[in-house]
Amino acid sequence: NAGVTQTPKFQVLKTGQSMTLQCAQDMNHNSMYWYRQDPGMGLRLIYYSASEGTTDKGEVPNGYNVSRLNKREFSLRLESAAPSQTSVYFCASSESIGQKYTFGSGTRLTVV
Amino acid sequence: TQLLEQSPQFLSIQEGENLTVYCNSSSVFSSLQWYRQEPGEGPVLLVTVVTGGEVKKLKRLTFQFGDARKDSSLHITAAQPGDTGLYLCAGANEKLTFGTGTRLTIIP
């Protein structure tokens, strides 16, 4: 009963470094999402994938790229990390767009 | 951009008291979801309301969707420490738009 698995749980990066956040779901869901959560800002959508083979920008896509590797996996890449990208990142999945979401437990990223 | 405002932003009350949290928007949504998030975890779905005026109960939690499907409320009766957490509403129109959240603390 894994649901949505995110790795790593914690990461510290130096400004300019790159990294990829991994997300996998085992519920055979079609849609997957990446959000960031900052104090007072709620959850903001970075990118989403409505179905395997498609990706679209969300509300705050600048500085990020995504890959929907297959139906299970959806990764988020920071090419050149900036302090403004310090946040908690959540991956979520749903059977289809707008249906109930299942979230991972998050990645806490600090960029110094 | 569809905005969902939640109020209050913070709420701290004694165990046993009742409380109501509000979720308001100028946009109409096809459905509205409520999530609860505990520290160090992702949000977990509590309920989905679909029809204008719909009321759903989950033990001591009562959720209502406004008649015009633009707003919602969450009422908790006899709050318990286990109700502590961040409550998020999310409106669905294709994608989900999340509200700003209400951080609830129940003091034993």
Side-chain angles (χ1 to χ4, degrees), chain B:
Chain B
T1 303
Q2 299 173 327
L3 295 175
L4 275 165
E5 302 267 350
Q6 288 186 241
S7 61
Q9 191 175 355
F10 298 95
L11 183 58
S12 183
I13 64 170
Q14 294 289 136
E15 181 177 358
E17 293 184 350
N18 302 332
L19 66 108
T20 303
V21 171
Y22 299 93
C23 172
N24 293 296
S25 175
S26 57
S27 302
V28 175
F29 293 102
S30 59
S31 66
L32 198 130
Q33 302 174 18
W34 282 92
Y35 291 79
R36 180 168 67 208
Q37 184 179 17
E38 299 188 15
E41 297 296 326
V44 175
L45 180 71
L46 295 173
V47 78
T48 302
V49 284
V50 179
T51 307
E54 182 177 1
V55 176
K56 277 193 175 177
K57 293 194 175 186
L58 189 67
K59 297 183 181 176
R60 294 174 294 99
L61 280 60
T62 301
F63 304 85
Q64 182 159 10
F65 201 11
D67 290 341
R69 290 186 288 126
K70 292 182 179 181
D71 53 82
S72 182
S73 63
L74 158 59
H75 183 77
I76 300 180
T77 303
Q80 298 179 2
D83 296 327
T84 292
L86 177 67
Y87 288 81
L88 294 161
C89 65
N93 271 333
E94 196 183 57
K95 301 186 298 295
L96 281 189
T97 299
F98 281 86
T100 47
T102 293
R103 191 165 296 280
L104 176 64
T105 303
I106 309 301
I107 303 162

Side-chain angles (χ1 to χ4, degrees), chain A residues 88-107:
Chain A
V88 182
Y89 291 85
F90 287 99
C91 176
S93 70
S94 64
E95 197 169 303
S96 61
I97 283 277
Q99 299 301 305
K100 71 168 200 173
Y101 284 18
T102 300
F103 281 86
S105 56
T107 295

